[in-house]
Amino acid sequence: MASKKQKKGKQVGKPYDDAFRAMYKRCQRLLLLLLNEAFGTNYSGDENVRFLPNETFRWREGDKKAKELVERISDSLFDVTDHNGNVRRFQVECQSKNDNNMAVRIMEYSLSFAFETGIAAKAKYTAQIHNTAVLYLRSSTTTPSFYEMEVVAPTKESIRWTVPTVKVADYTLDDLFSKKLYFLLPFYIFNFEKQLEKMEADPNERLVLTNMLETLKGKILELEKDGKLSTLDVDAIWDSSLLVAENVVRKYKNLGKEVQEIMAGKDYRTRSMVAYDKGELAGMEKSRLLAVARRLTRLFKSNRPIDAQEIADIAYDNDLSEEKVRLIAKENGISLS
């Protein structure tokens, strides 16, 4: 996605969410390689990925103690089918900082999605918990290496599972390339945050950051030349890296100028990105439009008003125009407020 103009020192929108979303939706092979690191899987990268609706609903007490339906949107939800036909469901949550409520959110998502896909057979109901991991763009000594989840039955029997975390701070740039964790490259600049003030004041210190960006740039272009990264992968990595870097250094005039000189020297919204936006990558586009239709249908069936703000949120979450969302609603016979 193209870089957004912003006022000095002010973050515009949700750039880190946008960068994650761009990588998630456009780089399926890189997403699979990230799963290998988080879950110990052995995906080659060409397995089938099917994106799923990532919103869930729950009832809670609202104003005047009336029950209201609350929508919760996860960062991702998708199925992976391996070469033997085995299907596993995954969710990766992206966090830019520590979240003390993360374990609660994971449990909410796990139980909600399990309920929605549960199987009822006569006097038996089976619900399956999917695989979840948390990606931390920033972390500290208190950031857990995993979360422990437990559900206790009335019989006192427990079902336990762990949710791994992946921390960008745990890797060097060489690590990311050697482990093929290309998905994390746009976020590597977070590892320099504590040094930015010093870099801003000292040109020699800034060389550490600018040299890193030049190295990153050279390596991904070399991998593209060798056929190990597609043009779409390279475009997404660089476009997302620019978006993240601009916002990380937004408070620093000298750093901002030098980052721009390195990263915004050409229009990286190349033909592959335009092709994606036009829907020429038909499989992913079809999945995305289907997810929007399902989300609208669920809101409609729950008698929840689908107003202008709801349309705007759906459009933002799915990288679509509001007009396109309205058209999908019309095509599915869904009335809007």
Side-chain angles (χ1 to χ4, degrees):
M1 62 190 65
S3 172
K4 298 177 181 178
K5 292 184 179 179
Q6 56 188 19
K7 295 180 180 179
K8 182 180 178 182
K10 184 177 181 181
Q11 181 172 300
V12 175
K14 300 178 179 179
Y16 310 139
D17 288 345
D18 290 345
F20 175 83
R21 186 180 297 112
M23 296 296 296
Y24 165 63
K25 291 185 176 180
R26 292 170 174 149
C27 303
Q28 295 183 40
R29 189 174 73 87
L30 309 192
L31 177 63
L32 290 169
L33 298 179
L34 177 63
L35 297 184
N36 291 342
E37 181 73 2
F39 298 101
T41 50
N42 193 32
Y43 292 128
S44 61
D46 59 355
E47 289 79 5
N48 179 262
V49 176
R50 183 168 71 95
F51 295 109
L52 302 169
N54 60 334
E55 71 280 350
T56 185
F57 297 86
R58 66 183 179 89
W59 291 98
R60 75 174 182 187
E61 285 192 0
D63 296 336
K64 300 180 181 179
K65 295 186 178 180
K67 291 288 185 178
E68 62 179 7
L69 194 62
V70 179
E71 182 182 36
R72 295 297 298 269
I73 302 175
S74 65
D75 290 327
S76 66
L77 189 68
F78 56 99
D79 283 345
V80 178
T81 304
D82 67 19
H83 299 307
N84 294 317
N86 301 310
V87 181
R88 293 181 67 179
R89 181 158 296 178
F90 294 93
Q91 174 188 355
V92 178
E93 288 297 297
C94 180
Q95 288 294 121
S96 62
K97 57 185 178 181
N98 283 344
D99 184 346
N100 294 329
N101 294 319
M102 195 69 235
V104 176
R105 289 171 51 199
I106 292 171
M107 184 64 80
E108 282 186 348
Y109 290 137
S110 296
L111 296 182
S112 295
F113 287 133
F115 178 75
E116 291 176 8
T117 58
I119 299 174
K122 295 183 179 179
K124 180 181 179 181
Y125 186 86
T126 303
Q128 183 170 340
I129 302 295
H130 61 274
N131 304 274
T132 302
V134 182
L135 169 60
Y136 274 105
L137 308 184
R138 299 183 181 97
S139 56
S140 67
T141 55
T142 61
T143 306
S145 297
F146 58 88
Y147 290 94
E148 294 184 272
M149 314 306 294
E150 181 177 13
V151 175
V152 181
T155 58
K156 304 301 182 182
E157 295 176 300
S158 294
I159 300 172
R160 300 177 181 176
W161 70 98
T162 59
V163 172
T165 63
V166 176
K167 309 171 195 174
V168 175
D170 286 347
Y171 303 94
T172 65
L173 190 61
D174 286 340
D175 289 336
L176 297 185
F177 281 100
S178 65
K179 290 174 171 284
K180 299 182 180 179
L181 294 175
Y182 309 126
F183 192 100
L184 302 184
L185 289 173
F187 310 108
Y188 185 69
I189 192 172
F190 280 103
N191 290 351
F192 294 84
E193 271 193 314
K194 294 180 181 179
Q195 307 167 44
L196 295 182
E197 192 167 327
K198 187 176 180 181
M199 289 179 174
E200 175 68 7
D202 188 341
N204 291 324
E205 292 290 335
R206 289 200 293 277
L207 285 173
V208 176
L209 180 60
T210 56
N211 286 343
M212 181 278 288
L213 294 174
E214 291 284 10
T215 299
L216 189 158
K217 178 179 179 180
K219 285 190 173 184
I220 62 173
L221 292 177
E222 183 178 348
L223 288 170
E224 179 188 22
K225 182 179 179 181
D226 293 341
K228 296 178 181 179
L229 284 178
S230 70
T231 299
L232 179 60
D233 290 336
V234 171
D235 289 344
I237 291 170
W238 195 254
D239 198 54
S240 298
S241 296
L242 173 58
L243 180 61
V244 172
E246 281 185 328
N247 281 274
V248 168
V249 304
R250 67 185 183 277
K251 298 179 181 178
Y252 304 99
K253 181 179 178 180
N254 294 324
L255 275 170
K257 180 180 178 181
E258 294 189 21
V259 166
Q260 281 287 329
E261 288 175 352
I262 295 171
M263 305 191 72
K266 62 168 273 193
D267 182 6
Y268 278 89
R269 193 171 181 79
T270 57
R271 286 177 297 173
S272 63
M273 298 295 251
V274 173
Y276 174 85
D277 290 337
K278 288 183 177 178
E280 291 176 20
L281 300 184
M284 292 177 68
E285 180 72 3
K286 182 178 179 180
S287 176
R288 179 169 57 155
L289 299 181
L290 180 60
V292 171
R294 287 175 175 170
R295 181 171 172 181
L296 288 166
T297 299
R298 291 168 65 182
L299 289 169
F300 181 68
K301 288 183 176 180
S302 67
N303 295 318
R304 178 171 174 174
I306 308 176
D307 55 19
Q309 184 58 55
E310 193 74 56
I311 293 295
D313 289 343
I314 294 173
Y316 176 83
D317 290 337
N318 293 276
D319 290 336
L320 295 173
S321 67
E322 294 179 26
E323 291 74 16
K324 182 65 175 178
V325 175
R326 291 190 179 91
L327 178 60
I328 294 173
K330 183 178 180 181
E331 290 173 346
N332 287 272
I334 297 171
S335 301
L336 305 178
S337 300

